[in-house]
């Protein structure tokens, strides 16, 4: 295990800040394993506390190469091209007030456009009056917070876009919480179904837990086979796939059925990596199951979940070469279902332009033959083994028996799930499942987040 200092150094070098919570003030070897890692962008622009730190504009002056140089009171400077400023004017003539869709026709602008005047008004906004060519002059107004946020790419010469903080009041999302068994069991992310249905506060709490942990539960949900439609209807809509709108996880004696419809154990995996865009959110509703206490024995069929982002973080810190292999080697995932073949190539660990993990794609059952240069083959299998062994450790897994009335929701591109084997001749087990486009869930979350009081 890497030292805390090395973990922090690695995070900072990647452009991240780590907020680390421990059980006590001292960091023994045991407490290090219980670290809660919360990752946010280094710029400090990922939390609502940012609103209390926005630098004011000191001055704005013309610069070389059709640029306006804007100087902030934290001594930072951003140079904005005139054409970029004109294209991003937010006045009602250029942007629809209700939908925030652009009305301005960007291709109609002159790339060599120049302003007639640059001014700072009494509110500290940058006001630009554009030169007129036979028509009326146009005025654009930019707030200091908007310029500072969207000027980060010009200050640091990166392609990084900030978390959305537009004039419609959308707030940046909070940091993610990376978890293992000990962390998530301290406060299991769960909400009572009736509160979820009746209270917007409970709905927000559930969506907030789902966003941060990639995992959230509902308790005491009615065991109607169609109940998932009402659950999902609170925040999004169900995504229909080749398996239907909803689908059953129970024994199907028909030859050639999917393995999830048998009593076989299913190792940890993410679903449908063989699709161009695998579903981002999955829900499973337990309709029937045997309780170990009533049977006096373990009936099998236990569910287990692992935070893939945390496992990837461990790989990056402790096995960087193996981590690089898994982020840079595309894997063919494929399946044949009802006579139709699906296939897609994607790395096991997907990262963005800044090197941050955005998706996990892992399913040993649908992984096809590795197609890679000869010198990559053995290192890949070594890296794959390390990743698999780490996630299969009991300390990484949240394990329990789903009971009738439980609904579990998880981020299918982050949290891996699996199931223990069971004897269908002795145990009755029936789940109902569905998929949801995760951006629909997050859109509802963002809307509700913007209605919350700011964090000071």
């Amino acid at each position: 295990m890497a030292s805390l200092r090395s973990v922090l150094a690695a995070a900072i070098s990647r452009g991240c800040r780590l907020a680390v919570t421990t059980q006590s003030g001292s960091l023994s070897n045991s407490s290090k394993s219980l670290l809660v890692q919360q990752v946010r962008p280094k710029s400090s622009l990922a939390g609502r506390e940012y609103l209390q730190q926005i630098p004011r504009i000191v001055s704005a002056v013309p610069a070389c190469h059709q640029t306006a140089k804007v100087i902030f009171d934290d001594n930072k400077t951003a140079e904005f091209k005139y054409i970029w400023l004109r294209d991003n004017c937010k006045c009602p003539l250029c942007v629809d007030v209700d939908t925030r869709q652009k009305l301005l026709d960007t291709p109609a602008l002159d790339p060599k456009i120049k302003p007639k005047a640059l001014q700072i008004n009494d509110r500290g906004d940058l006001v630009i009056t554009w030169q007129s060519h036979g028509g009326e002059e146009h005025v654009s107004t930019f707030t200091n917070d908007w310029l500072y946020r969207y000027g980060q790419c010009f200050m640091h010469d990166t392609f990084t876009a900030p978390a959305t903080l537009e004039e419609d009041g959308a707030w940046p999302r909070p940091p993610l919480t990376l978890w293992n068994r000990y962390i998530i069991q301290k406060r299991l992310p769960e909400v009572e179904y009736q509160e979820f249905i009746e209270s917007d506060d409970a709905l927000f709490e559930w969506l907030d837990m789902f966003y941060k942990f990639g995992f959230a539960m509902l308790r005491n949900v009615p065991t109607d086979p169609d109940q998932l439609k009402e659950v999902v209807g609170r925040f999004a809509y169900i995504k229909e796939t080749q398996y239907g709108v909803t689908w059953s996880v129970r024994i199907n004696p028909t030859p050639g059925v999917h393995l999830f419809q048998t009593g076989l154990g299913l190792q940890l995996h993410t679903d449908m990596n063989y699709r161009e865009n695998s579903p981002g959110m999955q829900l499973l509703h337990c309709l029937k199951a045997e309780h170990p206490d009533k049977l006096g024995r373990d009936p099998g069929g236990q569910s287990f979940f692992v935070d893939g982002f945390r496992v990837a973080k461990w790989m990056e810190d402790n096995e960087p070469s193996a981590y690089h292999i898994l982020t840079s080697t595309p894997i063919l995932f494929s399946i044949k279902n009802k006579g139709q073949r699906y296939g897609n190539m994607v790395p096991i660990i997907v990262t963005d332009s800044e090197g941050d993990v955005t998706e996990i794609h892992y399913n040993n059952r649908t992984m096809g033959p590795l197609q890679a240069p000869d010198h990559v083959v053995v290192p890949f299998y070594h890296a794959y083994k390390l990743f698999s062994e780490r996630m299969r450790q009991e300390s990484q897994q949240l394990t329990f028996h789903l009971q009738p009335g439980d609904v579990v929701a998880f981020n299918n591109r982050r949290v891996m799930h699996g199931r223990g084997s069971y004897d269908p001749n002795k145990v009755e087990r029936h789940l109902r499942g569905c998929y949801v486009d995760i951006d629909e869930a997050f859109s509802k979350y963002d809307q509700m987040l913007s209605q919350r009081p700011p964090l000071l």
Side-chain angles (χ1 to χ4, degrees), residues 54 65 68 130 166 205 231 244 246 279 292 296 304-305 332 386 444:
I54 303 169
H65 309 295
W130 299 101
E166 289 284 7
E205 180 186 4
V231 170
T246 62
F304 39 98
F305 302 86
L332 173 64
L386 287 173
K444 182 65 175 179

Side-chain angles (χ1 to χ4, degrees), residues 158-308:
T158 69
F159 287 96
T160 303
T164 302
L165 179 59
E166 289 284 7
E167 293 84 351
D168 60 9
W171 295 102
R173 297 169 186 166
L176 301 179
T177 299
L178 308 187
W179 53 268
N180 58 18
R181 167 182 285 190
Y182 310 106
I183 292 166
I184 200 166
Q185 282 185 338
K186 289 182 197 175
R187 186 185 182 280
L188 194 65
E190 59 182 358
V191 169
E192 284 291 317
Y193 171 75
Q194 206 59 38
E195 294 180 15
F196 170 86
I197 290 295
E198 297 175 354
S199 166
D200 283 349
D201 286 339
L203 172 60
F204 174 77
E205 180 186 4
W206 189 81
L207 289 171
D208 187 58
M209 292 186 295
F210 175 78
Y211 172 74
K212 291 175 180 175
F213 291 91
F215 176 94
M217 293 189 68
L218 290 173
R219 299 290 195 183
N220 298 311
V221 180
T223 53
D224 184 317
D226 291 326
Q227 200 69 31
L228 277 180
K229 296 177 182 178
E230 182 175 356
V231 170
V232 175
R234 277 288 279 153
F235 59 88
Y237 56 86
I238 293 176
K239 177 185 180 70
E240 185 172 4
T241 68
Q242 73 264 37
Y243 301 111
V245 177
T246 62
W247 29 267
S248 285
V249 183
R250 64 177 172 182
I251 296 300
N252 184 345
T254 305
V257 298
H258 197 290
L259 292 180
F260 72 70
Q261 293 181 312
T262 71
L264 294 174
L266 301 177
Q267 286 283 6
L268 287 161
H269 63 283
T270 56
D271 277 11
M272 299 179 71
N273 308 287
Y274 46 81
R275 298 301 299 263
E276 180 183 12
N277 291 303
S278 60
M281 185 179 192
Q282 182 173 169
L283 293 91
L284 294 172
H285 180 198
C286 182
L287 304 180
K288 294 181 181 180
E290 306 286 354
H291 197 289
D293 294 342
K294 293 182 179 179
L295 289 177
R297 60 178 174 82
D298 185 355
Q302 222 176 20
S303 298
F304 39 98
F305 302 86
V306 168
D307 186 355

Side-chain angles (χ1 to χ4, degrees), residues 309-380:
F309 282 10
R310 184 181 176 95
V311 177
K313 178 72 171 60
W314 181 89
M315 290 283 292
E316 183 179 17
D317 292 340
N318 295 274
E319 300 287 349
S321 297
Y323 174 83
H324 174 72
I325 290 288
L326 296 183
T327 59
S328 60
T329 306
I331 301 301
L332 173 64
F333 293 95
S334 64
I335 198 172
K336 186 177 181 181
N337 181 51
K338 297 179 181 178
Q340 292 183 260
R341 172 67 67 177
Y342 299 89
N344 183 45
M345 293 193 73
V346 63
I348 289 175
I349 302 175
V350 178
T351 59
D352 61 17
S353 61
E354 295 298 301
D356 295 321
V357 177
T358 57
E359 296 179 6
I360 301 292
H361 295 276
Y362 182 97
N363 194 326
N364 196 66
R365 289 177 285 115
T366 60
M367 189 171 74
L370 176 64
Q371 303 291 281
D374 178 72
H375 70 276
V376 173
V377 175
V378 173
F380 169 80

Side-chain angles (χ1 to χ4, degrees), residues 87-211:
D87 184 41
N88 285 286
C89 176
K90 301 301 180 184
C91 80
L93 295 177
C94 295
V95 174
D96 182 75
V97 175
D98 296 321
T99 66
R100 310 308 300 167
Q101 293 183 82
K102 186 185 290 186
L103 301 175
L104 174 67
D105 182 25
T106 300
L109 295 175
D110 180 0
K112 297 181 179 180
I113 191 171
K114 292 182 180 180
K116 180 179 180 181
L118 300 173
Q119 298 174 310
I120 310 298
N121 65 16
D122 294 339
R123 294 188 300 272
D125 303 329
L126 172 63
V127 180
I128 302 178
T129 304
W130 299 101
Q131 290 183 358
S132 172
H133 296 284
E136 295 184 1
E137 293 178 343
H138 191 88
V139 177
S140 301
T141 302
F142 301 95
T143 61
N144 61 317
D145 61 324
W146 192 92
L147 286 173
Y148 196 81
R149 286 185 61 76
Y150 288 92
Q152 294 294 311
C153 62
F154 304 129
M155 295 178 191
H156 304 292
D157 285 329
T158 69
F159 287 96
T160 303
T164 302
L165 179 59
E166 289 284 7
E167 293 84 351
D168 60 9
W171 295 102
R173 297 169 186 166
L176 301 179
T177 299
L178 308 187
W179 53 268
N180 58 18
R181 167 182 285 190
Y182 310 106
I183 292 166
I184 200 166
Q185 282 185 338
K186 289 182 197 175
R187 186 185 182 280
L188 194 65
E190 59 182 358
V191 169
E192 284 291 317
Y193 171 75
Q194 206 59 38
E195 294 180 15
F196 170 86
I197 290 295
E198 297 175 354
S199 166
D200 283 349
D201 286 339
L203 172 60
F204 174 77
E205 180 186 4
W206 189 81
L207 289 171
D208 187 58
M209 292 186 295
F210 175 78
Y211 172 74

